[in-house]
Amino acid sequence: MVPDRLIHIQKNGEKLEARLCGDLPSPVRYATLSHRWGSNPRLRLLRSNAAQLFDEIPMPSLEPVFQEAILVAWHLGLAHIWIDTLCIVQDSPLDWEAQSRNMGAIYMNAVFNIAAAVPVSRGLFTQRPPFVHFSPHLHIGWDDISLPSSDKPASLRGFYTLRDSARWYANVDSAHLNQRGWVSQERELSPCTLTFGPQQVYWKCGEVLACESFPNGVPGMEAYHALYTTRSFRDLVEDAATAEEIVRFWYGFAHRYSETDLTQKRDRLPAAFGMAQQLLRLMPGNRFLAGIFESHIVEGLLWRFDDTRSRSKPAATTVLTDFQVPSWSWASLDCPV
């Protein structure tokens, strides 16, 4: 699958240039970008400026995050990148509807996703104190230590690295970026994610979780993910998951997604449709009915408002009545479920 539009990057002398392009042959290697929208984007794709942007995208007119994402994609060997602000016609409801239906496939077929866990106006390349990347190393020479879990004395002799066990959670999983509803499926479907945080850069793929402090892999993350994360979409594909496992995965995804924020409340279902669309490919003959899979519709109706969540969300009585979501669907309420 090739997106209808991509940003083409090329070098002209010492300067990078960018322009929109379309009708590309398959396959095309490209990156994607996840970001939070600013209050007033500098440059967007509109019907009035489309011809100009296909000729040239003026780099200085872009948000710093967009400029630097283009730079990252180029230096990592890619000549194309997809950015929603510039690849979807923002004043065309028809184009928005068509592109939103392809959103899941766009992120799933990218080489990697750049996640901007920083404000768009600040840029990816932020000034950071150097000690943030430093992980102290200790040598302990203790022998014959009594431990409550053992009757025999133990030895703690050896070299140890100290790390902040909450860093990944605070700077990646709980980043402000990941409270944006559309980003939920972008995170889940992207094959690899390069997250630019306020303190350092993080990498996640099917093989390793790494950061600048631990470029070969963050120690102890296997236990963290076993406790705090669920199976990934890639796990479902690789394990040839059953329909029950796929639907259970969807319930977990919908639960986490329901806690996120959407600027446009009418996006409640469209912002998760890309994820549902990919799950439907694993369950031929099934149908997606307003947030619930037809094969498991009875248990899909057994949802409730989750009043145990600590994040601030509107009350359960906030009913989305204007967007043709049936009242029996969890998506009819703007609240955690």
Side-chain angles (χ1 to χ4, degrees):
M1 183 270 177
V2 178
D4 291 339
R5 304 178 192 93
L6 285 169
I7 298 168
H8 176 69
I9 313 165
Q10 63 185 24
K11 200 159 190 180
N12 185 1
E14 297 300 315
K15 183 178 69 171
L16 276 186
E17 295 180 340
R19 62 177 176 83
L20 277 180
C21 61
D23 298 324
L24 292 166
S26 181
V28 176
R29 287 166 51 83
Y30 64 92
T32 51
L33 176 67
S34 293
H35 66 97
R36 288 192 76 98
W37 281 61
S39 57
N40 187 23
R42 295 183 186 178
L43 182 65
R44 300 177 297 154
L45 175 61
L46 304 170
R47 286 176 288 188
S48 60
N49 66 4
Q52 173 193 347
L53 298 186
F54 271 91
D55 184 55
E56 180 185 8
I57 296 174
M59 294 285 280
S61 299
L62 296 178
E63 304 285 354
V65 158
F66 297 171
Q67 295 183 40
E68 292 169 4
I70 289 172
L71 188 64
V72 169
W74 174 261
H75 280 288
L76 292 179
L78 299 181
H80 296 90
I81 186 172
W82 190 91
I83 301 174
D84 56 0
T85 316
L86 298 168
C87 294
I88 300 175
V89 183
Q90 300 298 318
D91 58 352
S92 170
L94 288 178
D95 191 64
W96 181 91
E97 182 177 351
Q99 301 307 320
S100 66
R101 287 183 170 272
N102 291 331
M103 203 76 77
I106 288 172
Y107 279 85
M108 191 174 72
N109 288 290
V111 177
F112 62 88
N113 182 44
I114 300 169
V118 291
V120 292
S121 59
R122 185 184 302 174
L124 301 177
F125 309 145
T126 58
Q127 293 292 328
R128 301 147 328 153
F131 66 82
V132 169
H133 305 145
F134 176 68
S135 297
H137 298 278
L138 298 178
H139 176 260
I140 296 178
W142 296 342
D143 291 313
D144 298 329
I145 302 298
S146 297
L147 298 177
S149 59
S150 175
D151 296 333
K152 298 180 180 179
S155 173
L156 296 180
R157 181 178 296 275
F159 290 91
Y160 295 84
T161 299
L162 299 183
R163 70 176 181 89
D164 181 357
S165 60
R167 182 178 292 173
W168 188 282
Y169 177 79
N171 295 322
V172 180
D173 290 343
S174 292
H176 189 48
L177 168 70
N178 295 325
Q179 302 308 323
R180 180 181 175 230
W182 283 95
V183 174
S184 296
Q185 63 180 9
E186 296 169 10
R187 290 185 74 198
E188 190 61 55
L189 292 171
S190 297
C192 311
T193 302
L194 187 64
T195 299
F196 285 81
Q199 296 182 339
Q200 58 179 304
V201 179
Y202 301 84
W203 171 260
K204 178 181 180 181
C205 66
E207 299 296 326
V208 69
L209 303 173
C211 63
E212 291 175 79
S213 299
F214 298 98
N216 295 321
V218 181
M221 290 304 292
E222 298 83 1
Y224 168 81
H225 273 262
L227 286 172
Y228 298 110
T229 63
T230 58
R231 295 178 73 184
S232 68
F233 172 74
R234 303 265 160 189
D235 293 334
L236 298 180
V237 176
E238 293 172 1
D239 298 344
T242 65
E244 287 71 21
E245 291 172 323
I246 294 168
V247 172
R248 194 179 310 120
F249 168 87
W250 169 253
Y251 293 154
F253 174 84
H255 170 63
R256 297 187 300 276
Y257 167 73
S258 70
E259 295 187 86
T260 61
D261 300 318
L262 291 164
T263 303
Q264 302 294 334
K265 301 305 179 186
R266 65 173 178 266
D267 293 349
R268 180 76 159 166
L269 280 176
F273 182 74
M275 184 76 256
Q277 193 176 43
Q278 299 308 317
L279 295 178
L280 280 172
R281 295 178 185 276
L282 304 179
M283 298 185 293
N286 214 330
R287 290 197 300 165
F288 186 65
L289 307 175
I292 299 172
F293 289 104
E294 183 180 36
S295 62
H296 293 70
I297 192 168
V298 174
E299 57 194 79
L301 294 173
L302 300 177
W303 58 269
R304 64 175 177 83
F305 166 57
D306 186 359
D307 55 1
T308 65
R309 310 307 292 177
S310 58
R311 261 179 35 80
S312 174
K313 287 284 286 183
T317 53
T318 304
V319 182
L320 304 178
T321 57
D322 299 332
F323 309 116
Q324 299 180 343
V325 179
S327 60
W328 45 261
S329 169
W330 58 268
S332 63
L333 297 184
D334 181 25
C335 65
V337 295

